[in-house]
Amino acid sequence: MSAMRLPVADGRTVRRRFLSLLGEHKRAFTVVTLAQLAAAVASVGIPKVLGLMVDAVQADAGAQRLHTLIAIVVVLAVVNAVLTGIGEYLARILGERIFAALRERLGSAAMHLPLSVVESAGTGDLLGRTSHDLESIRFVVQRGVSQILVIVLTILSVVVAALLASPLLGVCMLASAVIAVPLGRWYLRHVVPGYQTMNALWAEVDGVIAETADQAETVDAQYLGQRRNRVLDRALREVWQTEQYTLWLRIVLITGLGIAVMLPLLAVLAWGAWLLGHGMVTLGAVTTVALYAVQMRGPVHEITFWLDTVQSASAALARIVGVELVKPDRQATSDVVVPEPPRVRGVSYAYRPGHDVLHDVDLEIIPGERLVVVGPSGSGKSTLGRMLAGIHPPTRGRVTVGSGGPDGQGTDLTALTEQALHREVALVTQEHHVFACTLADNLRIARADATDAEIAHALDVVGASVWAQALSNGLDTLVGNGGVVLDPGQAQQVALARIVLMDPATLILDEATSLLDPGSARSAERALDAVLAGRTVIAIAHRLDTAAAADRVAVVIDGRIVERGSPDELVAGGGSPAGGEYTRLWEAWTSA
């Protein structure tokens, strides 16, 4: 299977999505902006009053005048502190709400990704977006919204106040733009691709670690530890090289802005001295504008930090928004549930164009039968199972249920809504997961409207009612991380209880208990037998002893069904146009 990456949103889409998030909190954002603007106005009023104090001293205006101006400075300082605190408090709340909304949208988008896309992209890419990338933007959303707003409003207020205090001196406040603007453009042009590359590389690192940890037993058994370490080392070297590149860009930015931030003050002092000598401005005006130039140094220095942080977060946000841009691999047109097994007609499938792994497969399944699909590793068994489960749409041919549809030949599985598909067919694999929530909520993942009585019945069907009732809070007991840790057999029973609640007409088993230890496997197999009762079952078997109890067996060789029939017929070599493939597989299995 060729790996593909999930899409990455462009800059325009990212900005539009972030603005839409702000739009959802328009009132709160407006209140925060007004509070921060009022704080900025109070702040820039202080240098103006200090300049008036200088002129008052120079003109010998008297103590009463100075006392009044000092009182005004104190009031402005108190007002600035109070409004800044209020604005910061409201901004923190706004940031938390925006981040929560973003996280929920990402979770919803990830949960509704086409399964074919998830399988093709692999674990690393999606894991990186839902962990490392999401964490990268947490600080910016929670703190950056208020801080960037303060910086922007402060700079605008300072520049406007300086121009109002003395137009001749106020123009000096724009001196830093001579260096800052072209430097900022250069920086953004180079750093955005750098951060996008770095986030993609971190996703690769996450994938390597997750895959190695998930398959630790295989890595140890096959002595693959050194090889996996080399793969991880290569990925980390690439991350480090990209980190060095972005660090060099930050050094250039910090150095350039450090020079730029000094220019307004130097320009005000030099230009102000000349204007003062010619009687064109007062000493108080020079003092006021010089204080404004000093006041602007803080926000400009903070821009250095936030510009870099925002670009890193923007690259992460582009990957997060990209999850929402994944196009569906099917168009759902029907929600009609037909309690019949799927039918396969002329199905071919290729993970990569031109490299079919299934070739013109036809398969009729008898309602209520237990059909076992066998074949060598890599023959296409699991891919056929995914076709039958509606996970992948066929490259050619059709997998249908019933006799309806627009052409009367049945409805394509991939044309069913998600809810209807889950009622038609369900795939049970080796992998199962217990979520960090209550036992009841773990089961309601399968059916949100399930009652406690229905949940208790599902647990009873799979033989889990005894240990479930023994939990401290029954169905309301927290399980998974941070709660009661279920053993592998219990976790599998929870997964099977979900199947009972979903109540699909057809079950597809892909070695559902093969990863369990013998004790847990026996318990899970008893639970599985209870779930299978009365259903059509298609089992993808990697062990031929599973096929012995089947009603029929289909043998897959090189992506084609070459034999089908009862186990006894196939062992005897009957029904075999290919000359006894099942017989050879059986003999190899029993002699091993």
Side-chain angles (χ1 to χ4, degrees):
M1 183 189 304
S2 62
M4 56 164 284
R5 290 198 182 277
L6 298 171
V8 177
D10 58 28
R12 179 179 298 179
T13 303
V14 171
R15 288 190 295 273
R16 187 166 59 244
R17 188 57 48 85
F18 187 72
L19 290 175
S20 72
L21 284 172
L22 287 180
E24 294 173 6
H25 303 84
K26 186 184 301 182
R27 179 176 299 179
F29 182 74
T30 302
V31 172
V32 170
T33 301
L34 291 176
Q36 300 287 18
L37 179 60
V41 170
S43 177
V44 299
I46 294 175
K48 176 64 177 178
V49 177
L50 292 175
L52 293 176
M53 291 174 63
V54 171
D55 286 339
V57 171
Q58 191 176 29
D60 196 16
Q64 182 61 37
R65 170 71 170 168
L66 287 176
H67 291 163
T68 302
L69 292 174
I70 290 173
I72 294 173
V73 169
V74 172
V75 170
L76 288 175
V78 172
V79 170
N80 171 256
V82 171
L83 290 175
T84 299
I86 294 174
E88 181 68 15
Y89 173 74
L90 296 175
R92 292 288 186 92
I93 295 175
L94 175 63
E96 292 289 348
R97 289 176 176 171
I98 291 175
F99 184 73
L102 181 64
R103 184 171 53 197
E104 288 173 2
R105 291 176 68 159
L106 174 61
S108 176
M111 291 297 292
H112 289 87
L113 282 175
L115 291 177
S116 59
V117 173
V118 175
E119 288 201 348
S120 298
T123 58
D125 198 11
L126 186 57
L127 180 64
R129 295 180 193 230
T130 55
S131 56
H132 184 271
D133 288 335
L134 194 62
E135 193 62 31
S136 295
I137 68 172
R138 175 192 291 271
F139 180 71
V140 172
V141 174
Q142 293 176 337
R143 296 287 306 278
V145 172
S146 62
Q147 293 301 312
I148 294 171
L149 191 59
V150 168
I151 290 170
V152 172
L153 292 176
T154 301
I155 291 176
L156 290 176
S157 300
V158 166
V159 171
V160 171
L163 290 171
L164 291 176
S166 174
L168 289 175
L169 288 170
V171 295
C172 296
M173 303 296 291
L174 305 176
S176 59
V178 175
I179 294 178
V181 172
L183 177 63
R185 289 179 176 176
W186 173 86
Y187 176 76
L188 294 178
R189 189 167 59 250
H190 290 81
V191 80
V192 171
Y195 279 131
Q196 289 176 342
T197 300
M198 189 165 63
N199 286 345
L201 290 172
W202 271 118
E204 184 177 349
V205 170
D206 291 339
V208 172
I209 294 173
E211 290 167 359
T212 303
D214 289 344
Q215 304 299 327
E217 293 182 358
T218 302
V219 171
D220 289 341
Q222 299 294 328
Y223 303 102
L224 299 176
Q226 290 186 350
R227 180 180 298 180
R228 296 302 296 174
N229 283 336
R230 286 196 296 271
V231 173
L232 181 59
D233 289 344
R234 176 194 56 78
L236 289 174
R237 277 195 301 272
E238 292 178 354
V239 169
W240 173 243
Q241 291 168 358
T242 309
E243 288 273 17
Q244 285 183 309
Y245 172 69
T246 57
L247 177 60
W248 175 76
L249 294 175
R250 290 195 294 274
I251 291 173
V252 174
L253 176 69
I254 292 171
T255 303
L257 288 182
I259 297 172
V261 78
M262 295 298 299
L263 291 181
L265 179 59
L266 296 175
V268 168
L269 294 177
W271 180 234
W274 189 88
L275 292 175
L276 184 63
H278 289 76
M280 301 176 68
V281 295
T282 65
L283 181 60
V286 175
T287 302
T288 297
V289 179
L291 289 174
Y292 283 140
V294 173
Q295 193 175 33
M296 196 168 69
R297 292 175 62 185
V300 173
H301 276 303
E302 289 184 26
I303 283 179
T304 305
F305 170 77
W306 284 109
L307 187 63
D308 180 68
T309 304
V310 166
Q311 293 315 308
S312 176
S314 296
L317 185 57
R319 288 167 49 80
I320 289 173
V321 174
V323 177
E324 302 177 26
L325 301 181
V326 174
K327 296 180 179 179
D329 62 353
R330 65 199 70 193
Q331 184 64 44
T333 58
S334 174
D335 60 357
V336 177
V337 178
V338 181
E340 297 178 7
R343 199 165 48 246
V344 180
R345 292 179 292 180
V347 164
S348 297
Y349 185 77
Y351 291 104
R352 292 182 297 162
H355 297 79
D356 286 356
V357 294
L358 292 179
H359 307 273
D360 299 318
V361 174
D362 291 295
L363 184 61
E364 291 284 342
I365 301 164
I366 302 170
E369 77 169 337
R370 182 172 294 195
L371 172 71
V372 174
V373 179
V374 301
S377 297
S379 60
K381 302 186 302 296
S382 293
T383 300
L384 178 59
R386 284 162 172 72
M387 297 290 107
L388 290 165
I391 293 177
H392 296 299
T395 305
R396 292 186 305 277
R398 300 178 66 189
V399 181
T400 62
V401 289
S403 57
D407 58 359
Q409 298 298 312
T411 302
D412 290 282
L413 281 183
T414 53
L416 295 175
T417 62
E418 187 174 318
Q419 293 79 7
L421 178 61
H422 291 167
R423 293 294 305 278
E424 286 286 356
V425 61
L427 174 66
V428 182
T429 68
Q430 304 163 344
E431 301 173 358
H432 48 268
H433 187 72
V434 177
F435 295 89
C437 56
T438 68
L439 179 59
D441 286 340
N442 259 280
L443 294 172
R444 287 194 176 99
I445 289 172
R447 213 183 86 212
D449 61 350
T451 65
D452 285 352
E454 290 171 325
I455 290 174
H457 172 70
L459 290 170
D460 185 57
V461 169
V462 300
S465 57
V466 174
W467 64 259
Q469 292 171 2
L471 295 173
S472 58
N473 294 315
L475 295 178
D476 294 326
T477 303
L478 292 175
V479 295
N481 292 334
V484 176
V485 178
L486 304 183
D487 64 42
Q490 292 171 332
Q492 185 74 351
Q493 286 177 320
V494 170
L496 293 174
R498 295 187 188 120
I499 299 296
V500 174
L501 289 174
M502 291 169 61
D503 193 26
T506 302
L507 270 179
I508 300 172
L509 309 178
D510 193 351
E511 287 294 349
T513 62
S514 64
L515 294 183
L516 300 179
D517 61 79
S520 298
R522 283 191 294 272
S523 175
E525 284 169 357
R526 287 194 296 270
L528 185 58
D529 287 338
V531 176
L532 300 183
R535 305 180 195 276
T536 303
V537 178
I538 304 166
I540 311 299
H542 302 271
R543 299 178 300 188
L544 290 193
D545 53 0
T546 305
D551 297 316
R552 280 198 306 155
V553 174
V555 181
V556 178
I557 303 291
D558 294 332
R560 293 180 171 84
I561 295 181
V562 297
E563 294 178 9
R564 69 192 80 193
S566 70
D568 293 337
E569 289 175 345
L570 295 182
V571 168
S576 173
E581 290 289 352
Y582 184 80
T583 302
R584 286 190 283 273
L585 289 172
W586 182 260
E587 290 174 350
W589 172 261
T590 54
S591 63

